[in-house]
C-alpha cells in the first residue's frame, strides 16, 4: 500500500490507499505485543517492549535524511515507492529467518533459556484470572482507560511527528536535506529514552509513574522549544529532542501495563482494541495542529500548547489505571 501510494491519481484514490495501509498496518502492533509476551516474563516486559519500539526512532533516523535527500531531487511519489520497497528487501527476509511465536519454536534458543522463559511465563499464567470471552475485554474499565490514554498520546505524538520538520525548518531556515538531518536527532534521544524508561519501569514496577514522567518531559520540552525559538537555536533543537524522547519513552511501561489487564487467551483482542481506537488520535493531532497553526497566522505556539496538553493529560489519566506490578521487600515480583 505504501508503494501504491506513489501511483495514486486523485484525492479519493489517496484516501482509499491510505485507509488500506492502515488496515494492513493495524494488525501488526497487537500481534507483536502478544508475541513479545510469549518471550519475556512480566519483570522484563517493559524493557522488551521499549527495545522493540526502538524500531520507530531507528527507522526515523534513517528515513529523515533519506526522505530529505529524495525530495531534494525528486517528488513525493518517488519517496513512497523507494521507501515502500524496503520491507520487501529487508524486513521480510529477516522475519522468516528469525521470528518465532514462542521459544519452543525457535531453533536458535538454548534449552536452558527456553526452559527459563517458559517456566516463568507458565507460573504467571497459572495465577492469572480467567476470562469468559472477548466480551470481558469490552466490559473492562481498565481497557477503556488505556484506550483513552493511548488516544491522547497519539494526538500529541503524531501531531509532533508530523509538524516537527516544519518547526525545524522554521527555526533553522534550511532546505529539505539539512532539515532531514537535523530531524534525525530527536529520534536518537527517543531511542535512548525508550530503553532507559523501560529499564527503570521493570525495576520499579510502577508503570503509571513512568508513563507520566515521559509525558511530563515531552509536554514541557515541546512548549519550551517554541518559546525559546530563534533566540537560542541550539537550546531549541535540544528541547525538541527531549520532547520527542518523552513522546516515545512511554511505550514500554504503557504496553507492559496493558499486558497485565487481561488473561492471555483474550490479550490479543484487548491490545488490538487499545491500538485500534487509540490510534484514531493520530488523525486528530495533525488535523487540529494544522488548524491552530493556520488560525494563528503560522505560529506554532498554539499547536505546541495543544499537543503538550494532550500528552500531559494522558499521563494524568494513566494514574487511574491499576496495572502496576507489585514488588515486595524480598525482591519478589507479582
Amino acid at each position: 500500500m505504501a508503494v501504491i501510494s506513489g501511483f495514486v491519481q486523485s484525492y479519493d484514490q489517496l484516501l482509499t490507499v491510505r485507509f488500506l495501509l492502515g488496515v494492513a498496518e493495524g494488525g501488526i502492533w497487537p500481534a507483536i505485543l502478544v508475541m513479545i509476551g510469549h518471550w519475556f516474563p512480566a519483570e522484563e516486559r517493559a524493557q522488551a517492549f521499549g527495545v522493540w519500539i526502538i524500531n520507530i526512532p531507528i527507522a526515523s533516523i534513517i528515513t529523515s535524511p533519506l526522505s530529505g535527500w529524495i525530495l531534494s531531487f525528486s517528488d513525493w511519489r518517488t519517496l513512497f515507492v523507494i521507501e515502500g520497497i524496503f520491507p520487501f528487501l529487508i524486513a521480510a527476509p529477516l522475519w522468516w529467518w528469525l521470528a518465532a511465536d514462542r521459544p519452543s519454536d525457535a531453533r536458535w534458543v538454548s534449552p536452558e533459556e527456553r526452559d527459563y522463559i517458559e517456566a516463568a511465563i507458565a507460573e504467571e499464567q497459572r495465577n492469572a484470572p480467567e476470562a469468559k470471552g472477548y466480551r470481558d475485554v469490552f466490559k473492562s474499565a481498565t481497557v477503556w482507560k488505556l484506550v483513552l490514554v493511548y488516544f491522547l498520546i497519539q494526538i500529541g505524538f503524531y501531531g509532533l511527528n508530523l509538524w516537527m520538520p516544519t518547526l525545524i525548518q522554521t527555526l533553522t531556515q534550511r532546505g529539505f536535506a539539512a532539515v532531514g538531518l537535523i530531524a534525525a536527532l530527536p529520534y536518537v534521544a527517543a531511542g535512548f529514552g525508550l530503553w532507559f524508561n523501560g529499564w527503570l519501569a521493570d525495576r520499579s514496577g510502577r508503570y503509571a509513574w513512568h508513563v507520566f514522567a515521559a509525558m511530563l518531559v515531552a509536554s514541557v520540552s515541546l512548549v519550551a522549544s517554541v518559546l525559546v525559538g530563534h533566540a537560542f537555536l541550539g537550546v531549541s533543537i535540544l528541547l525538541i529532542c527531549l520532547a520527542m524522547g518523552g513522546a516515545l519513552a512511554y511505550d514500554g511501561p504503557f504496553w507492559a501495563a496493558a499486558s497485565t489487564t487481561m488473561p492471555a487467551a483474550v490479550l490479543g483482542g484487548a491490545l488490538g482494541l487499545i491500538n485500534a481506537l487509540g490510534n484514531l488520535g493520530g488523525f486528530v493531532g495533525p488535523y487540529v495542529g494544522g488548524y491552530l497553526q493556520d488560525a494563528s497566522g503560522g505560529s506554532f505556539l498554539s499547536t505546541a500548547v495543544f499537543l503538550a496538553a494532550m500528552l500531559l493529560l494522558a499521563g494524568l489519566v494513566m494514574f487511574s489505571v491499576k496495572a502496576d506490578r507489585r514488588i515486595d521487600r524480598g525482591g519478589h515480583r507479582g
Side-chain angles (χ1 to χ4, degrees), residues 38-45 103-104 109-124 333:
H38 295 164
W39 278 85
F40 294 90
E43 63 186 36
E44 302 173 5
R45 211 164 285 160
S104 57
V109 177
S110 67
E112 295 80 10
E113 187 174 14
R114 180 195 63 213
D115 293 343
Y116 159 73
I117 296 170
E118 293 185 342
I121 294 176
E123 178 63 23
E124 293 171 5
R333 295 165 171 85

PDB file of all heavy atoms in Angstrom, residues 38-45 103-104 109-124 333:
ATOM      1  N   HIS A  38       4.975 -13.766  24.905  1.00  0.00           N
ATOM      2  CA  HIS A  38       5.329 -15.185  24.946  1.00  0.00           C
ATOM      3  C   HIS A  38       6.820 -15.395  25.216  1.00  0.00           C
ATOM      4  O   HIS A  38       7.237 -16.519  25.513  1.00  0.00           O
ATOM      5  CB  HIS A  38       4.998 -15.858  23.606  1.00  0.00           C
ATOM      6  CG  HIS A  38       3.536 -15.891  23.312  1.00  0.00           C
ATOM      7  ND1 HIS A  38       3.036 -16.154  22.039  1.00  0.00           N
ATOM      8  CD2 HIS A  38       2.447 -15.696  24.104  1.00  0.00           C
ATOM      9  CE1 HIS A  38       1.721 -16.124  22.070  1.00  0.00           C
ATOM     10  NE2 HIS A  38       1.339 -15.843  23.305  1.00  0.00           N
ATOM     11  N   TRP A  39       7.604 -14.348  25.072  1.00  0.00           N
ATOM     12  CA  TRP A  39       9.055 -14.475  25.152  1.00  0.00           C
ATOM     13  C   TRP A  39       9.653 -13.892  26.427  1.00  0.00           C
ATOM     14  O   TRP A  39      10.783 -14.225  26.793  1.00  0.00           O
ATOM     15  CB  TRP A  39       9.698 -13.777  23.943  1.00  0.00           C
ATOM     16  CG  TRP A  39       9.712 -14.625  22.716  1.00  0.00           C
ATOM     17  CD1 TRP A  39       8.707 -14.760  21.794  1.00  0.00           C
ATOM     18  CD2 TRP A  39      10.765 -15.463  22.268  1.00  0.00           C
ATOM     19  NE1 TRP A  39       9.081 -15.622  20.801  1.00  0.00           N
ATOM     20  CE2 TRP A  39      10.351 -16.071  21.059  1.00  0.00           C
ATOM     21  CE3 TRP A  39      12.038 -15.757  22.755  1.00  0.00           C
ATOM     22  CZ2 TRP A  39      11.145 -16.960  20.345  1.00  0.00           C
ATOM     23  CZ3 TRP A  39      12.838 -16.639  22.047  1.00  0.00           C
ATOM     24  CH2 TRP A  39      12.391 -17.232  20.864  1.00  0.00           C
ATOM     25  N   PHE A  40       8.925 -12.985  27.099  1.00  0.00           N
ATOM     26  CA  PHE A  40       9.504 -12.295  28.256  1.00  0.00           C
ATOM     27  C   PHE A  40       8.547 -12.344  29.435  1.00  0.00           C
ATOM     28  O   PHE A  40       7.371 -12.005  29.287  1.00  0.00           O
ATOM     29  CB  PHE A  40       9.814 -10.833  27.914  1.00  0.00           C
ATOM     30  CG  PHE A  40      10.895 -10.663  26.887  1.00  0.00           C
ATOM     31  CD1 PHE A  40      10.582 -10.614  25.535  1.00  0.00           C
ATOM     32  CD2 PHE A  40      12.220 -10.571  27.266  1.00  0.00           C
ATOM     33  CE1 PHE A  40      11.572 -10.473  24.580  1.00  0.00           C
ATOM     34  CE2 PHE A  40      13.224 -10.438  26.312  1.00  0.00           C
ATOM     35  CZ  PHE A  40      12.898 -10.387  24.973  1.00  0.00           C
ATOM     36  N   PRO A  41       9.031 -12.736  30.616  1.00  0.00           N
ATOM     37  CA  PRO A  41       8.191 -12.662  31.820  1.00  0.00           C
ATOM     38  C   PRO A  41       7.896 -11.213  32.176  1.00  0.00           C
ATOM     39  O   PRO A  41       8.544 -10.285  31.669  1.00  0.00           O
ATOM     40  CB  PRO A  41       9.045 -13.347  32.888  1.00  0.00           C
ATOM     41  CG  PRO A  41      10.449 -13.243  32.392  1.00  0.00           C
ATOM     42  CD  PRO A  41      10.369 -13.273  30.898  1.00  0.00           C
ATOM     43  N   ALA A  42       6.929 -11.012  33.068  1.00  0.00           N
ATOM     44  CA  ALA A  42       6.444  -9.669  33.374  1.00  0.00           C
ATOM     45  C   ALA A  42       7.556  -8.746  33.852  1.00  0.00           C
ATOM     46  O   ALA A  42       7.558  -7.557  33.536  1.00  0.00           O
ATOM     47  CB  ALA A  42       5.335  -9.744  34.425  1.00  0.00           C
ATOM     48  N   GLU A  43       8.518  -9.267  34.604  1.00  0.00           N
ATOM     49  CA  GLU A  43       9.559  -8.413  35.167  1.00  0.00           C
ATOM     50  C   GLU A  43      10.550  -7.902  34.129  1.00  0.00           C
ATOM     51  O   GLU A  43      11.375  -7.053  34.429  1.00  0.00           O
ATOM     52  CB  GLU A  43      10.316  -9.163  36.268  1.00  0.00           C
ATOM     53  CG  GLU A  43      11.065 -10.390  35.771  1.00  0.00           C
ATOM     54  CD  GLU A  43      11.673 -11.181  36.917  1.00  0.00           C
ATOM     55  OE1 GLU A  43      11.046 -11.249  37.991  1.00  0.00           O
ATOM     56  OE2 GLU A  43      12.764 -11.728  36.729  1.00  0.00           O
ATOM     57  N   GLU A  44      10.468  -8.396  32.901  1.00  0.00           N
ATOM     58  CA  GLU A  44      11.357  -7.946  31.834  1.00  0.00           C
ATOM     59  C   GLU A  44      10.592  -7.291  30.683  1.00  0.00           C
ATOM     60  O   GLU A  44      11.196  -6.863  29.700  1.00  0.00           O
ATOM     61  CB  GLU A  44      12.159  -9.137  31.281  1.00  0.00           C
ATOM     62  CG  GLU A  44      12.994  -9.869  32.313  1.00  0.00           C
ATOM     63  CD  GLU A  44      13.638 -11.131  31.753  1.00  0.00           C
ATOM     64  OE1 GLU A  44      13.515 -11.380  30.529  1.00  0.00           O
ATOM     65  OE2 GLU A  44      14.246 -11.879  32.527  1.00  0.00           O
ATOM     66  N   ARG A  45       9.270  -7.220  30.819  1.00  0.00           N
ATOM     67  CA  ARG A  45       8.448  -6.899  29.648  1.00  0.00           C
ATOM     68  C   ARG A  45       8.491  -5.440  29.249  1.00  0.00           C
ATOM     69  O   ARG A  45       8.468  -5.115  28.053  1.00  0.00           O
ATOM     70  CB  ARG A  45       7.008  -7.331  29.913  1.00  0.00           C
ATOM     71  CG  ARG A  45       6.261  -7.756  28.664  1.00  0.00           C
ATOM     72  CD  ARG A  45       5.012  -8.511  29.007  1.00  0.00           C
ATOM     73  NE  ARG A  45       5.288  -9.865  29.450  1.00  0.00           N
ATOM     74  CZ  ARG A  45       4.445 -10.609  30.153  1.00  0.00           C
ATOM     75  NH1 ARG A  45       3.278 -10.107  30.513  1.00  0.00           N
ATOM     76  NH2 ARG A  45       4.772 -11.827  30.499  1.00  0.00           N
ATOM     77  N   PRO A 103       9.464 -19.488  22.366  1.00  0.00           N
ATOM     78  CA  PRO A 103      10.831 -20.025  22.439  1.00  0.00           C
ATOM     79  C   PRO A 103      10.932 -21.473  21.958  1.00  0.00           C
ATOM     80  O   PRO A 103      11.948 -21.866  21.380  1.00  0.00           O
ATOM     81  CB  PRO A 103      11.161 -19.906  23.932  1.00  0.00           C
ATOM     82  CG  PRO A 103      10.311 -18.792  24.418  1.00  0.00           C
ATOM     83  CD  PRO A 103       9.034 -18.872  23.630  1.00  0.00           C
ATOM     84  N   SER A 104       9.886 -22.263  22.187  1.00  0.00           N
ATOM     85  CA  SER A 104       9.923 -23.672  21.772  1.00  0.00           C
ATOM     86  C   SER A 104       9.940 -23.822  20.255  1.00  0.00           C
ATOM     87  O   SER A 104      10.306 -24.883  19.739  1.00  0.00           O
ATOM     88  CB  SER A 104       8.715 -24.420  22.342  1.00  0.00           C
ATOM     89  OG  SER A 104       7.503 -23.802  21.936  1.00  0.00           O
ATOM     90  N   VAL A 109      17.378 -20.780  20.133  1.00  0.00           N
ATOM     91  CA  VAL A 109      17.315 -20.581  21.578  1.00  0.00           C
ATOM     92  C   VAL A 109      17.887 -21.808  22.284  1.00  0.00           C
ATOM     93  O   VAL A 109      17.543 -22.944  21.953  1.00  0.00           O
ATOM     94  CB  VAL A 109      15.865 -20.340  22.037  1.00  0.00           C
ATOM     95  CG1 VAL A 109      15.787 -20.209  23.554  1.00  0.00           C
ATOM     96  CG2 VAL A 109      15.308 -19.093  21.377  1.00  0.00           C
ATOM     97  N   SER A 110      18.751 -21.576  23.272  1.00  0.00           N
ATOM     98  CA  SER A 110      19.337 -22.688  24.013  1.00  0.00           C
ATOM     99  C   SER A 110      18.273 -23.354  24.889  1.00  0.00           C
ATOM    100  O   SER A 110      17.316 -22.690  25.314  1.00  0.00           O
ATOM    101  CB  SER A 110      20.482 -22.199  24.896  1.00  0.00           C
ATOM    102  OG  SER A 110      19.990 -21.366  25.939  1.00  0.00           O
ATOM    103  N   PRO A 111      18.411 -24.638  25.190  1.00  0.00           N
ATOM    104  CA  PRO A 111      17.423 -25.321  26.034  1.00  0.00           C
ATOM    105  C   PRO A 111      17.272 -24.661  27.411  1.00  0.00           C
ATOM    106  O   PRO A 111      16.163 -24.573  27.942  1.00  0.00           O
ATOM    107  CB  PRO A 111      17.988 -26.737  26.157  1.00  0.00           C
ATOM    108  CG  PRO A 111      18.816 -26.926  24.922  1.00  0.00           C
ATOM    109  CD  PRO A 111      19.418 -25.576  24.654  1.00  0.00           C
ATOM    110  N   GLU A 112      18.379 -24.177  27.987  1.00  0.00           N
ATOM    111  CA  GLU A 112      18.323 -23.545  29.308  1.00  0.00           C
ATOM    112  C   GLU A 112      17.499 -22.262  29.275  1.00  0.00           C
ATOM    113  O   GLU A 112      16.662 -22.020  30.154  1.00  0.00           O
ATOM    114  CB  GLU A 112      19.740 -23.252  29.814  1.00  0.00           C
ATOM    115  CG  GLU A 112      20.586 -24.475  30.086  1.00  0.00           C
ATOM    116  CD  GLU A 112      21.191 -25.062  28.816  1.00  0.00           C
ATOM    117  OE1 GLU A 112      21.093 -24.396  27.745  1.00  0.00           O
ATOM    118  OE2 GLU A 112      21.765 -26.171  28.876  1.00  0.00           O
ATOM    119  N   GLU A 113      17.732 -21.440  28.257  1.00  0.00           N
ATOM    120  CA  GLU A 113      16.995 -20.189  28.152  1.00  0.00           C
ATOM    121  C   GLU A 113      15.528 -20.454  27.862  1.00  0.00           C
ATOM    122  O   GLU A 113      14.643 -19.800  28.423  1.00  0.00           O
ATOM    123  CB  GLU A 113      17.608 -19.308  27.064  1.00  0.00           C
ATOM    124  CG  GLU A 113      16.997 -17.914  27.009  1.00  0.00           C
ATOM    125  CD  GLU A 113      17.707 -17.002  26.024  1.00  0.00           C
ATOM    126  OE1 GLU A 113      18.483 -17.500  25.196  1.00  0.00           O
ATOM    127  OE2 GLU A 113      17.470 -15.782  26.086  1.00  0.00           O
ATOM    128  N   ARG A 114      15.260 -21.425  27.001  1.00  0.00           N
ATOM    129  CA  ARG A 114      13.876 -21.767  26.667  1.00  0.00           C
ATOM    130  C   ARG A 114      13.117 -22.225  27.908  1.00  0.00           C
ATOM    131  O   ARG A 114      11.992 -21.799  28.167  1.00  0.00           O
ATOM    132  CB  ARG A 114      13.866 -22.870  25.612  1.00  0.00           C
ATOM    133  CG  ARG A 114      12.465 -23.326  25.183  1.00  0.00           C
ATOM    134  CD  ARG A 114      12.540 -24.635  24.439  1.00  0.00           C
ATOM    135  NE  ARG A 114      13.069 -25.685  25.306  1.00  0.00           N
ATOM    136  CZ  ARG A 114      13.817 -26.702  24.884  1.00  0.00           C
ATOM    137  NH1 ARG A 114      14.140 -26.804  23.610  1.00  0.00           N
ATOM    138  NH2 ARG A 114      14.243 -27.616  25.742  1.00  0.00           N
ATOM    139  N   ASP A 115      13.735 -23.094  28.702  1.00  0.00           N
ATOM    140  CA  ASP A 115      13.068 -23.610  29.901  1.00  0.00           C
ATOM    141  C   ASP A 115      12.812 -22.498  30.914  1.00  0.00           C
ATOM    142  O   ASP A 115      11.768 -22.464  31.567  1.00  0.00           O
ATOM    143  CB  ASP A 115      13.917 -24.719  30.535  1.00  0.00           C
ATOM    144  CG  ASP A 115      14.005 -25.957  29.651  1.00  0.00           C
ATOM    145  OD1 ASP A 115      13.171 -26.083  28.724  1.00  0.00           O
ATOM    146  OD2 ASP A 115      14.905 -26.782  29.883  1.00  0.00           O
ATOM    147  N   TYR A 116      13.775 -21.571  31.057  1.00  0.00           N
ATOM    148  CA  TYR A 116      13.597 -20.458  31.994  1.00  0.00           C
ATOM    149  C   TYR A 116      12.417 -19.589  31.579  1.00  0.00           C
ATOM    150  O   TYR A 116      11.555 -19.245  32.405  1.00  0.00           O
ATOM    151  CB  TYR A 116      14.873 -19.610  32.046  1.00  0.00           C
ATOM    152  CG  TYR A 116      14.629 -18.213  32.560  1.00  0.00           C
ATOM    153  CD1 TYR A 116      14.370 -17.970  33.906  1.00  0.00           C
ATOM    154  CD2 TYR A 116      14.627 -17.115  31.689  1.00  0.00           C
ATOM    155  CE1 TYR A 116      14.121 -16.687  34.374  1.00  0.00           C
ATOM    156  CE2 TYR A 116      14.377 -15.828  32.151  1.00  0.00           C
ATOM    157  CZ  TYR A 116      14.126 -15.621  33.498  1.00  0.00           C
ATOM    158  OH  TYR A 116      13.876 -14.357  33.947  1.00  0.00           O
ATOM    159  N   ILE A 117      12.345 -19.230  30.302  1.00  0.00           N
ATOM    160  CA  ILE A 117      11.276 -18.351  29.818  1.00  0.00           C
ATOM    161  C   ILE A 117       9.911 -19.015  29.984  1.00  0.00           C
ATOM    162  O   ILE A 117       8.968 -18.422  30.524  1.00  0.00           O
ATOM    163  CB  ILE A 117      11.508 -17.980  28.341  1.00  0.00           C
ATOM    164  CG1 ILE A 117      12.793 -17.161  28.183  1.00  0.00           C
ATOM    165  CG2 ILE A 117      10.312 -17.205  27.788  1.00  0.00           C
ATOM    166  CD1 ILE A 117      13.210 -16.955  26.747  1.00  0.00           C
ATOM    167  N   GLU A 118       9.814 -20.269  29.543  1.00  0.00           N
ATOM    168  CA  GLU A 118       8.517 -20.932  29.573  1.00  0.00           C
ATOM    169  C   GLU A 118       8.051 -21.215  30.994  1.00  0.00           C
ATOM    170  O   GLU A 118       6.852 -21.129  31.295  1.00  0.00           O
ATOM    171  CB  GLU A 118       8.586 -22.214  28.749  1.00  0.00           C
ATOM    172  CG  GLU A 118       8.786 -21.935  27.254  1.00  0.00           C
ATOM    173  CD  GLU A 118       8.727 -23.188  26.405  1.00  0.00           C
ATOM    174  OE1 GLU A 118       8.866 -24.282  26.974  1.00  0.00           O
ATOM    175  OE2 GLU A 118       8.540 -23.057  25.180  1.00  0.00           O
ATOM    176  N   ALA A 119       8.996 -21.532  31.902  1.00  0.00           N
ATOM    177  CA  ALA A 119       8.611 -21.776  33.297  1.00  0.00           C
ATOM    178  C   ALA A 119       8.130 -20.494  33.955  1.00  0.00           C
ATOM    179  O   ALA A 119       7.136 -20.492  34.698  1.00  0.00           O
ATOM    180  CB  ALA A 119       9.801 -22.352  34.064  1.00  0.00           C
ATOM    181  N   ALA A 120       8.819 -19.367  33.695  1.00  0.00           N
ATOM    182  CA  ALA A 120       8.442 -18.087  34.296  1.00  0.00           C
ATOM    183  C   ALA A 120       7.064 -17.641  33.809  1.00  0.00           C
ATOM    184  O   ALA A 120       6.228 -17.185  34.604  1.00  0.00           O
ATOM    185  CB  ALA A 120       9.488 -17.029  33.975  1.00  0.00           C
ATOM    186  N   ILE A 121       6.818 -17.772  32.517  1.00  0.00           N
ATOM    187  CA  ILE A 121       5.533 -17.328  31.971  1.00  0.00           C
ATOM    188  C   ILE A 121       4.402 -18.260  32.385  1.00  0.00           C
ATOM    189  O   ILE A 121       3.281 -17.819  32.672  1.00  0.00           O
ATOM    190  CB  ILE A 121       5.633 -17.216  30.440  1.00  0.00           C
ATOM    191  CG1 ILE A 121       6.609 -16.088  30.072  1.00  0.00           C
ATOM    192  CG2 ILE A 121       4.266 -16.966  29.816  1.00  0.00           C
ATOM    193  CD1 ILE A 121       6.873 -15.937  28.608  1.00  0.00           C
ATOM    194  N   ALA A 122       4.690 -19.575  32.473  1.00  0.00           N
ATOM    195  CA  ALA A 122       3.665 -20.519  32.920  1.00  0.00           C
ATOM    196  C   ALA A 122       3.246 -20.239  34.355  1.00  0.00           C
ATOM    197  O   ALA A 122       2.058 -20.346  34.704  1.00  0.00           O
ATOM    198  CB  ALA A 122       4.194 -21.942  32.800  1.00  0.00           C
ATOM    199  N   GLU A 123       4.204 -19.844  35.210  1.00  0.00           N
ATOM    200  CA  GLU A 123       3.892 -19.509  36.599  1.00  0.00           C
ATOM    201  C   GLU A 123       2.994 -18.273  36.668  1.00  0.00           C
ATOM    202  O   GLU A 123       2.054 -18.216  37.470  1.00  0.00           O
ATOM    203  CB  GLU A 123       5.180 -19.267  37.372  1.00  0.00           C
ATOM    204  CG  GLU A 123       4.977 -18.856  38.826  1.00  0.00           C
ATOM    205  CD  GLU A 123       4.295 -19.940  39.650  1.00  0.00           C
ATOM    206  OE1 GLU A 123       4.355 -21.124  39.261  1.00  0.00           O
ATOM    207  OE2 GLU A 123       3.695 -19.602  40.688  1.00  0.00           O
ATOM    208  N   GLU A 124       3.260 -17.268  35.827  1.00  0.00           N
ATOM    209  CA  GLU A 124       2.420 -16.072  35.800  1.00  0.00           C
ATOM    210  C   GLU A 124       1.003 -16.408  35.359  1.00  0.00           C
ATOM    211  O   GLU A 124       0.023 -15.942  35.957  1.00  0.00           O
ATOM    212  CB  GLU A 124       3.019 -15.039  34.849  1.00  0.00           C
ATOM    213  CG  GLU A 124       4.348 -14.464  35.294  1.00  0.00           C
ATOM    214  CD  GLU A 124       4.989 -13.624  34.198  1.00  0.00           C
ATOM    215  OE1 GLU A 124       4.329 -13.446  33.152  1.00  0.00           O
ATOM    216  OE2 GLU A 124       6.124 -13.171  34.375  1.00  0.00           O
ATOM    217  N   ARG A 333       8.467 -10.429  42.593  1.00  0.00           N
ATOM    218  CA  ARG A 333       7.559  -9.626  41.803  1.00  0.00           C
ATOM    219  C   ARG A 333       6.246 -10.361  41.621  1.00  0.00           C
ATOM    220  O   ARG A 333       6.226 -11.587  41.494  1.00  0.00           O
ATOM    221  CB  ARG A 333       8.177  -9.301  40.436  1.00  0.00           C
ATOM    222  CG  ARG A 333       9.427  -8.414  40.561  1.00  0.00           C
ATOM    223  CD  ARG A 333      10.213  -8.412  39.262  1.00  0.00           C
ATOM    224  NE  ARG A 333      11.283  -7.410  39.286  1.00  0.00           N
ATOM    225  CZ  ARG A 333      12.492  -7.636  39.800  1.00  0.00           C
ATOM    226  NH1 ARG A 333      12.773  -8.783  40.337  1.00  0.00           N
ATOM    227  NH2 ARG A 333      13.407  -6.688  39.775  1.00  0.00           N
TER     228      ARG A 333
END
